[in-house]
Amino acid sequence: MDKKKKITLKDIAEALNLTPSGVSKALNNHPRISDATKKAVKEKARELNYQPNLLASALRKGRSNLIGVIIPRAKSNFFSSVVEKLEDVLNKEGYNIIMTQSNESFEKECRNIDALIDTQVCGIIASMASDTVDLTYYNKIISTGIPLVMFDRSDERLEADYIGIDDYQSSFKVIDHLYKQGCRRIAHIGGYKHTRIYNQRLEGYLDALKKYNLPIENNLIIESTLKIEDGRQAMTQFLKLDKKPDAVYAAGDFAALGALQVLKENNIAIPQDIALVGFSNELFTSLVTPTISSIEQHSNTIGQLAAEILLDKLKNPNKTTEPSKTVLDIDLIIRETSKK
């Protein structure tokens, strides 16, 4: 079957005995084109079902109404909620988004950045992959003059606006809660320390242990990518210790879910024998049995603020200010896995 022919400016021009240039100007409301011609062109465009090539137009003009969004993974309630809010706010201002995901890969993140720059996006809103240490590609965005706003994951060395939560205080709040529940040997399943947010969560965990004079032992701290399987492996490792933990704090809910699975498979009483707290308040944390305590990251607020900061940059391109850093307070959602 032949594909339906794509209607071009030339087709509209031939139908109305105009030039393609004149049709283009009419569609873009050029002041030198009469209202009658504009009306005729737009009616013919609708009749022929003309679809403008926005990317080609952006490449010609050197700009577009597109905003690039880079996230580590779409399979996350936190990131999907942020993107949903970003799109809602940006759409109201006439912008559309192009979403890419790095899948926590530095190499894929670099390819995504190149693709967005080549697409002539107006701005980029991003959260770094856990693999990212080299900032060359993010600095490339800045050097091209494309406004950049980071959220959740960034790097102190990067000269870009940032919106996130207080990861240090989040961990401190978790340990404070577990201590008050009677836990005295608290293990940590963390992300990789080179990622700022996971380093901050680790620091908060360690300082809280020091505050309560609780043991700090290397075999109670495991770095990982915080996937379900990482949580399973870490909890299996903890259960093999001669002195098992009486609580586990995972810096991500998927790792917490994996840990929960192993606890249930080994008939460990939760939270009586081992309590458990995750991070991000993924949707499943309130649906599994027992329900998982977790940190609420306020994804809607982060999405709203990230979009507003970028829009301000787009509306005021000549405004020179130091990059802003917005840090939000968090809430600990206490559920069955840690409430004794």
Side-chain angles (χ1 to χ4, degrees):
M1 180 185 289
D2 292 336
K3 291 184 178 179
K4 188 174 181 180
K5 180 179 180 294
K6 183 175 176 63
I7 300 300
T8 66
L9 292 176
K10 185 178 179 181
D11 295 319
I12 300 174
E14 289 177 351
L16 296 173
N17 197 27
L18 297 170
T19 65
S21 174
V23 170
S24 176
K25 289 177 180 178
L27 289 173
N28 287 286
N29 294 312
H30 194 285
R32 292 187 178 179
I33 303 297
S34 70
D35 290 341
T37 300
K38 289 177 185 176
K39 182 180 179 182
V41 168
K42 290 176 182 178
E43 286 179 354
K44 182 58 69 173
R46 282 195 293 272
E47 177 188 326
L48 297 177
N49 195 27
Y50 168 70
Q51 300 296 323
N53 188 329
L54 297 178
L55 179 56
S57 175
L59 292 174
R60 286 194 302 272
K61 296 176 182 177
R63 60 183 176 82
S64 69
N65 67 333
L66 301 173
I67 304 296
V69 177
I70 305 171
I71 58 174
R73 58 185 185 278
K75 190 180 177 182
S76 159
N77 181 57
F78 170 71
F79 288 117
S80 62
S81 295
V82 170
V83 171
E84 184 176 1
K85 191 62 178 180
L86 285 174
E87 187 169 37
D88 179 54
V89 176
L90 293 170
N91 283 173
K92 290 176 182 175
E93 295 295 324
Y95 293 94
N96 293 307
I97 70 168
I98 299 177
M99 191 192 80
T100 68
Q101 60 175 333
S102 64
N103 286 321
E104 304 290 9
S105 163
F106 170 68
E107 288 76 15
K108 187 172 183 184
E109 186 174 67
C110 293
R111 293 197 299 272
N112 290 341
I113 290 172
D114 273 340
L116 292 174
I117 292 174
D118 290 343
T119 307
Q120 302 281 1
V121 294
C122 293
I124 292 177
I125 298 174
S127 185
M128 284 183 177
S130 60
D131 274 1
T132 301
V133 178
D134 185 345
L135 301 181
T136 302
Y137 274 76
Y138 278 104
N139 283 320
K140 182 179 180 180
I141 296 172
I142 297 170
S143 67
T144 61
I146 297 174
L148 173 64
V149 177
M150 304 298 297
F151 73 94
D152 188 50
R153 304 186 197 173
S154 186
D155 189 295
E156 298 289 350
R157 298 170 295 164
L158 190 64
E159 293 292 318
D161 295 89
Y162 170 79
I163 305 97
I165 62 166
D166 192 327
D167 291 284
Y168 177 89
Q169 285 298 330
S170 298
S171 288
F172 214 99
K173 198 165 190 174
V174 169
I175 304 308
D176 180 72
H177 161 65
L178 290 171
Y179 182 82
K180 289 175 180 176
Q181 295 298 304
C183 302
R184 295 296 182 267
R185 189 171 172 78
I186 305 170
H188 180 50
I189 306 172
Y192 290 114
K193 286 186 290 186
H194 66 252
T195 304
R196 186 198 63 80
I197 62 169
Y198 297 127
N199 184 58
Q200 288 293 302
R201 290 175 198 179
L202 175 63
E203 289 299 315
Y205 160 80
L206 293 172
D207 285 352
L209 293 184
K210 293 173 185 174
K211 174 185 175 181
Y212 292 113
N213 295 312
L214 299 179
I216 297 176
E217 301 175 26
N218 289 335
N219 58 9
L220 291 178
I221 302 172
I222 294 177
E223 288 185 50
S224 71
T225 58
L226 294 171
K227 296 177 181 177
I228 292 176
E229 189 54 38
D230 295 310
R232 290 186 60 85
Q233 291 176 2
M235 185 57 79
T236 299
Q237 194 169 320
F238 292 147
L239 293 181
K240 291 179 180 178
L241 297 174
D242 292 333
K243 294 180 67 177
K244 298 176 179 57
D246 57 10
V248 174
Y249 160 45
D253 281 335
F254 285 95
L257 179 60
L260 178 64
Q261 291 173 352
V262 172
L263 289 173
K264 292 173 72 173
E265 289 164 7
N266 286 272
N267 298 312
I268 305 294
I270 313 164
Q272 292 80 9
D273 293 339
I274 298 181
L276 178 66
V277 178
F279 205 109
S280 286
N281 199 28
E282 295 286 345
L283 290 175
F284 63 77
T285 56
S286 63
L287 302 175
V288 295
T289 303
T291 53
I292 303 173
S293 298
S294 189
I295 292 289
E296 167 58 53
Q297 290 183 267
H298 303 300
S299 55
N300 279 346
T301 303
I302 288 175
Q304 177 85 33
L305 291 174
E308 288 176 352
I309 290 172
L310 183 63
L311 287 169
D312 181 64
K313 286 177 168 294
L314 294 172
K315 292 174 182 177
N316 302 285
N318 298 320
K319 182 176 167 184
T320 56
T321 56
E322 289 295 313
S324 64
K325 183 176 181 180
T326 305
V327 180
L328 306 175
D329 291 332
I330 52 84
D331 292 317
L332 171 60
I333 310 300
I334 301 171
R335 299 193 178 101
E336 295 169 345
T337 57
S338 70
K339 189 175 182 180
K340 296 188 179 180

